[in-house]
Amino acid sequence: MKVLNFGSLNLDYVYSVDHMVTPGETLASYGMNVFCGGKGLNQSIALAKAGVEVYHAGMVGEEGDILLKTCREGGVKADYVRKIDGKSGHTIIQVDKNGQNCILLYGGANQSITKEYVDEVLGHFAKGDILLLQNEVNMLDYIIDSAYEKGMMVILNPSPYNSALDACDFNKISMFLLNEIEGAQVTGEEETDAILAKLKEIYPNAKVVLTLGGDGSVYQYKEEQYRQGIFKVKAVDTTAAGDTFTGYFISSIIEGMPVTDGLELAARASAIAVSREGATASIPLKKRSAANRAVKEQET
């Protein structure tokens, strides 16, 4: 089983503020940092740090060398990432004194995906391989259709939720990983139980992981349902919390862990991530003892 993440690579310009700027307000920040991020890159780094061999596909612009370097240093295989003319995707992120954030996203090179490029990349993958997607690149509908035809397991994090998703056939999604806001946008429901019930009704064959902020997360597949609480820490920056959760939970699937153990692992990893600054820089590394590695090698 091979894992491909077809997603965004961004430069994140992060400003520390007392509160989120309001319309008409000029607000001084008391700190500024530049980090490598993008939901795609964040999730690839999380997968790699959780011990998964992950390939990343996507586009970077003229200042994208640092993004490629971050892939390599993070253990992500960047063989299929292409560098093009123009600007890379980037974000302007405000992080307030409570660690909450708001994000302004510019697509840049992430919106330059072509059908030919998709065909080239997917030509290296086969039935049973995993494809992870987010909604920060263009051609998402074509990528989903092409991967489904190959028999790949398609996992979608529908973020940011916008009209581009209307062209996507969600019946071809094997697993949804989404937060409560995205769940409401997909289903039109507001309450957690109603969101889960609606998702089961309209996509009965899909697995669902719904993250609920301070209320933890829920896994649902047909009649199965498991809930996981959070591990409370002092929040510094929540930027990559969901991406860390996504990467670590998918790693648990690949390792064949029980769902309950996978949810707990993902919750622990995301708790560590919110206690640190930055996006990719905040994602923890899963450490394995020499004994555990030896056992795993014997099993394979």
Side-chain angles (χ1 to χ4, degrees):
M1 179 188 295
K2 293 167 69 177
V3 180
L4 170 66
N5 185 357
F6 213 126
S8 57
L9 302 104
N10 289 338
L11 292 170
D12 293 337
Y13 299 91
V14 182
Y15 297 84
S16 302
V17 295
D18 178 76
H19 60 274
M20 304 306 178
V21 66
T22 58
E25 178 183 19
T26 298
L27 180 66
S29 67
Y30 53 84
M32 186 270 187
N33 287 291
V34 181
F35 299 102
C36 291
K39 294 191 72 66
L41 178 57
N42 293 347
Q43 291 175 12
S44 283
I45 294 290
L47 281 161
K49 287 190 174 182
V52 175
E53 183 176 81
V54 55
Y55 294 84
H56 194 97
M59 302 283 192
V60 298
E62 56 201 21
E63 74 282 63
D65 286 345
I66 189 172
L67 293 166
L68 293 169
K69 180 181 178 184
T70 298
C71 284
R72 291 191 294 268
E73 292 179 347
V76 176
K77 294 183 177 297
D79 309 51
Y80 309 123
V81 177
R82 298 289 180 268
K83 188 175 181 181
I84 62 173
D85 293 334
K87 294 292 184 182
S88 295
H90 69 255
T91 60
I92 296 175
I93 302 175
Q94 298 175 65
V95 179
D96 72 13
K97 59 187 177 184
N98 297 313
Q100 296 301 307
N101 67 69
C102 67
I103 303 173
L104 178 64
L105 172 66
Y106 171 69
N110 296 315
Q111 298 298 310
S112 300
I113 307 298
T114 65
K115 288 184 178 181
E116 292 75 18
Y117 174 61
V118 173
D119 293 342
E120 175 194 342
V121 172
L122 292 185
H124 297 279
F125 296 85
K127 182 177 180 179
D129 289 340
I130 290 177
L131 173 66
L132 174 60
L133 299 169
Q134 318 78 30
N135 191 30
E136 289 186 350
V137 298
N138 66 315
M139 301 297 296
L140 196 64
D141 56 335
Y142 184 75
I143 298 171
I144 291 172
D145 291 345
S146 300
Y148 181 81
E149 288 176 7
K150 294 178 73 72
M152 298 179 73
M153 177 182 179
V154 183
I155 301 177
L156 175 65
N157 172 208
S159 176
Y161 193 91
N162 58 37
S163 60
L165 292 169
D166 294 342
C168 300
D169 186 352
F170 280 4
N171 291 294
K172 297 177 178 178
I173 304 302
S174 305
M175 177 182 289
F176 292 96
L177 278 154
L178 67 176
N179 63 27
E180 54 195 326
I181 296 173
E182 294 146 7
Q185 291 169 320
V186 171
T187 63
E189 303 290 346
E190 296 294 332
E191 300 298 325
T192 299
D193 290 342
I195 291 171
L196 290 167
K198 190 67 173 181
L199 285 169
K200 183 163 68 171
E201 175 189 337
I202 56 181
Y203 306 115
N205 296 315
K207 298 177 175 69
V208 174
V209 180
L210 184 67
T211 57
L212 305 168
D215 292 325
S217 59
V218 185
Y219 170 94
Q220 175 179 277
Y221 180 55
K222 297 188 183 297
E223 302 308 313
E224 294 180 69
Q225 193 176 102
Y226 305 99
R227 293 178 180 261
Q228 170 66 48
I230 65 166
F231 294 91
K232 294 184 178 180
V233 297
K234 178 176 174 54
V236 173
D237 184 351
T238 60
T239 302
D243 298 330
T244 301
F245 187 100
T246 294
Y248 267 80
F249 185 75
I250 294 173
S251 79
S252 76
I253 296 171
I254 294 168
E255 291 188 21
M257 295 172 62
V259 171
T260 50
D261 292 350
L263 290 173
E264 180 181 345
L265 173 67
R268 289 184 182 277
S270 58
I272 294 171
V274 302
S275 69
R276 302 170 174 175
E277 289 186 341
T280 59
S282 73
I283 299 170
L285 174 67
K286 183 179 179 183
K287 296 182 179 178
R288 292 184 175 87
S289 69
N292 285 343
R293 287 197 300 271
V295 169
K296 189 171 182 180
E297 288 169 1
Q298 289 174 4
E299 291 174 342
T300 55

